Amino acid sequence: MAERSFKKEVKKLHAGAGETFQGEGILAVTKALLQSGVAYVGGYQGSPISHLMDVLADAKDEILDDMGVHFETSASEATAAAMLSASVNYPLRGAVTWKSTVGTNVASDALANLASGGVIGGTVIVIGEDYGEGSSIMQERTHAFAMKSHIWLLDPRPNLPSIVDAVEKSFELSEASNTPVMLQMRVRACHVHGHFTAKDNVKPAFTLTDALENPKRDLSRIVLPPYTFVHEKEKLEQRLPAALQFIKDNRLNEVFEGTRQDVGLVVQGGCYNTVIRALEHLGLADAYGDTEIPLYVLNVAFPLVDDELLDFARDKSALLLIEEGGPEFIEHEINTIFARAGCKTQLQGKALLPRYGEYTCEVIKQGLRQFLQQHTQDLLQDEVALKLVPSKPLAVTALDETVPARPAGFCTGCPERPVFSAIKLLQREQGDFHISCDIGCHLFSILPPFNLGATTMGYGLGGASSSAFNVPSSKPAISIMGDGGFWHNGLTSGIGNSVFNKSDGINLIIDNEYTAATGGQDILSSKASHPERSTNNPISRAVEGVGVKWVRTLTRTYDVAAMKRTLKEAITTKGVGPKVIVAQSECMLNLQRREKRERRQNIQDGKRVVESRFAIDGDTCTGDRACIRLSGCPSLTVKPNPDPWRSDPVSYIDNSCVGCGLCGENVHADILCPSFVKVEVVRNAGWLERQRRQLSQHIIGWLQRRAAKRQELDLLEGVSQ
């Protein structure tokens, strides 16, 4: 198992009624699930919701089993979504989670079927909405899918009491309308810190065992004609009205009255904190949320409640809608509501705010300023209101013009780096290859210094991305995927497809024993044993099982020369179908987590401990820095040349080195230079070892003094001549 522990977080989940719960937003969601009587939880990890999965995994023995709550890490988001079918025929509350639209895309088939037939038990999908400045994916919104399939979408204000209330109300809303509910947790909401008053954890009233012992089925819930047409009618004539009534009765959306009544703001719940901050900068609100401008906060982003919107718009000349991202779904819908009702209040949104990108405080402030200047006569004319507002926008130099680009890269000692060093060396000899990449840490290969890879289509789709290039060539396409992507989707979509279509391509699967990019969770091929899951299932056996004949497994990726030879063999081998290379080495982060703890304990116990480090002889280094260009290791840097007659800086290895040996392997594979040396730091050395060290230091010192003396004599002899 990955060397991480969430015991502290698990203990917080024990909090009972009246106790104060403190922590992050995503941990509050985890506690709220238990307070809501959830019967089962699944999902696929990914930022920013990985923490929910990790904590529940550690809570299984301590909390979940005693409560009768089933938890499992799903093979994919599609698996998780299909898991919710348990609530179609039974009053079981279920929750699943995944990362933003990339997860929803994978889960879309099961989600659409679930939304069509409807549910009896409350079902909640916790979406880690990864949109904006800190995002790692394509910029899309969950809102579009919610509208398409009529799944209700909650977007709570980013504070812990609101988040917890949204989770609990999501289950109730789902049951009241027989519809799945999406709870959108933005990155900042997931990581916001705060506290709320806890309730007791609730065991599910109806369990999975009860369902198995009393099986039920309802043909009308199956998504087949003619029932599919009935489902569509139900959505609009029964489920939607029931949802709207529940939203109104429980006041899920909030109105914050202001001192002004002529204008107002309609705000997505997730943007609330930023809007208040922007109003505070304009002198129109304080840090506690007291505002001059009335706010209608959409904690439910879909569906919209016509009555509430029209009531809020009454007697107001204009509203500003703050809807982050595009297209402007909410703006279009509100305009339709106003037009049908004959409402004359002017709605403004994307005309004053950007059509794309994250709405930061400065962005919202600029939009607010324009809106208020157009629709009020006095608010921004007061000097008090203007004291924090510059008359002209500050001249700010673009960041990319003042700060050097720093592309993301592999961790120090990452076992994936040598794979791409080998490919780079191969391309020096044979020219460039078409390389299809995948989602995962290995995607950093597309950036400097490797600059490898042409496309990335999705998790586990590296192999499928090369399928069009199944044509005769001396330079076959190379497809790359990680072990996480392989088990998620790649075995069937990539390898199985290549076998079926008799592809001659090369599939390079990087096996670092975990889904490293999402936090180091275990998977089918993880090497460590796991009491709750089946591990140690080799990737090589899986690909052989679907018909691959040519498979090579390298158990040490740091052997750059061996990796290069294997790639050459794969390129030159013809007529055997797809070639698969499994490159195995444990993720360095997890390896270091384990070994550092063991090393510290051994040192405390007085045991002999050897740590390997690498260094560069500055006197030998020529300063051409080929080693850096071939590796990109963060521990490889430069320092001033020790030779006063040479101005170019020389390469240098700092103390972050973990001793993986890649720099030395690159030197050997590419015959770079002899300046690299390996150093072993020995702690708690034995008596004989210490004596040998002292003797060697004495001899080295004597030889150095002798050489210096000889050099001095030669110099004097040259002067005398």
Side-chain angles (χ1 to χ4, degrees), residues 552-557 559 562-564 566 581-585:
R552 301 290 184 271
T553 299
L554 282 74
T555 56
R556 184 176 180 274
T557 62
D559 190 340
M563 178 63 66
K564 182 181 170 184
T566 307
I581 301 172
V582 183
Q584 293 180 339
S585 276

Side-chain angles (χ1 to χ4, degrees), residues 183-473:
L183 176 67
Q184 177 177 286
M185 288 291 293
R186 300 164 186 249
V187 174
R188 298 182 192 278
C190 284
H191 299 306
V192 69
H193 279 258
H195 61 84
F196 67 93
T197 302
K199 301 176 185 176
D200 288 332
N201 294 335
V202 177
K203 292 184 177 181
F206 188 84
T207 68
L208 293 164
T209 302
D210 293 334
L212 288 173
E213 293 177 353
N214 301 277
K216 294 180 180 179
R217 63 186 297 271
D218 182 352
L219 187 58
S220 68
R221 296 304 98 198
I222 304 297
V223 185
L224 283 173
Y227 300 110
T228 50
F229 309 111
V230 176
H231 296 166
E232 187 70 5
K233 182 179 179 182
E234 282 181 5
K235 283 182 180 181
L236 295 172
E237 294 187 356
Q238 297 176 27
R239 300 182 205 170
L240 178 58
L244 293 172
Q245 192 62 49
F246 182 91
I247 294 166
K248 288 192 290 185
D249 291 346
N250 290 273
R251 298 182 179 179
L252 298 190
N253 297 318
E254 299 171 282
V255 175
F256 295 90
E257 300 290 352
T259 56
R260 300 290 296 243
Q261 295 302 319
D262 54 338
V263 292
L265 305 179
V266 179
V267 182
Q268 286 174 302
C271 293
Y272 172 82
N273 288 2
T274 312
V275 170
I276 291 297
R277 184 63 170 164
L279 287 170
E280 184 185 4
H281 280 198
L282 292 170
L284 301 174
D286 61 23
Y288 301 98
D290 292 328
T291 171
E292 292 187 37
I293 311 296
L295 272 65
Y296 176 56
V297 180
L298 295 171
N299 293 315
V300 182
F302 178 78
L304 298 181
V305 183
D306 298 18
D307 297 348
E308 292 182 352
L309 280 161
L310 292 169
D311 186 60
F312 183 73
R314 186 176 298 114
D315 299 327
K316 293 181 175 62
S317 62
L319 298 177
L320 176 64
L321 170 64
I322 299 174
E323 176 185 8
E324 186 178 67
E328 49 269 38
F329 299 118
I330 299 176
E331 185 173 347
H332 291 321
E333 191 168 357
I334 294 179
N335 273 319
T336 300
I337 292 170
F338 284 5
R340 286 175 178 170
C343 178
K344 302 302 182 183
T345 302
Q346 184 179 353
L347 179 71
Q348 291 198 292
K350 298 299 184 183
L352 301 178
L353 290 160
R355 298 190 66 191
Y356 55 86
E358 183 176 344
Y359 280 4
T360 62
C361 181
E362 186 62 32
V363 167
I364 292 178
K365 188 166 63 176
Q366 291 177 9
L368 282 170
R369 185 185 296 115
Q370 294 181 60
F371 173 74
L372 295 173
Q373 287 173 346
Q374 290 180 20
H375 297 283
T376 65
Q377 299 297 319
D378 58 331
L379 273 181
L380 292 182
Q381 304 306 316
D382 192 340
E383 287 296 323
V384 175
L386 286 170
K387 65 182 180 180
L388 292 177
V389 184
S391 57
K392 294 182 179 179
L394 294 174
V396 179
T397 305
L399 197 63
D400 60 357
E401 296 178 10
T402 57
V403 179
R406 185 182 181 186
F410 299 102
C411 301
T412 301
C414 175
E416 301 183 15
R417 182 179 281 108
V419 174
F420 300 106
S421 294
I423 295 176
K424 198 166 184 179
L425 290 172
L426 180 69
Q427 291 196 148
R428 284 186 185 178
E429 296 179 4
Q430 301 194 15
D432 292 346
F433 288 78
H434 177 84
I435 300 175
S436 297
C437 293
D438 208 310
I439 302 298
C441 299
H442 42 85
L443 188 55
F444 292 139
S445 66
I446 68 170
L447 300 172
F450 299 110
N451 301 307
L452 300 171
T455 58
T456 173
M457 290 290 102
Y459 200 26
L461 293 176
S465 300
S466 294
S467 57
F469 298 102
N470 185 15
V471 294
S473 174

Side-chain angles (χ1 to χ4, degrees), residues 44 77 101-103 105-106 136-138 436-440 442-443 454-466 479-482 484-491 493-494:
Y44 195 87
E77 296 86 354
T101 52
V102 289
N105 291 341
V106 175
S136 61
I137 61 170
M138 78 290 283
S436 297
C437 293
D438 208 310
I439 302 298
H442 42 85
L443 188 55
T455 58
T456 173
M457 290 290 102
Y459 200 26
L461 293 176
S465 300
S466 294
S479 306
I480 298 171
M481 71 178 85
F486 171 81
W487 292 114
H488 180 274
N489 196 9
L491 176 59
S493 297

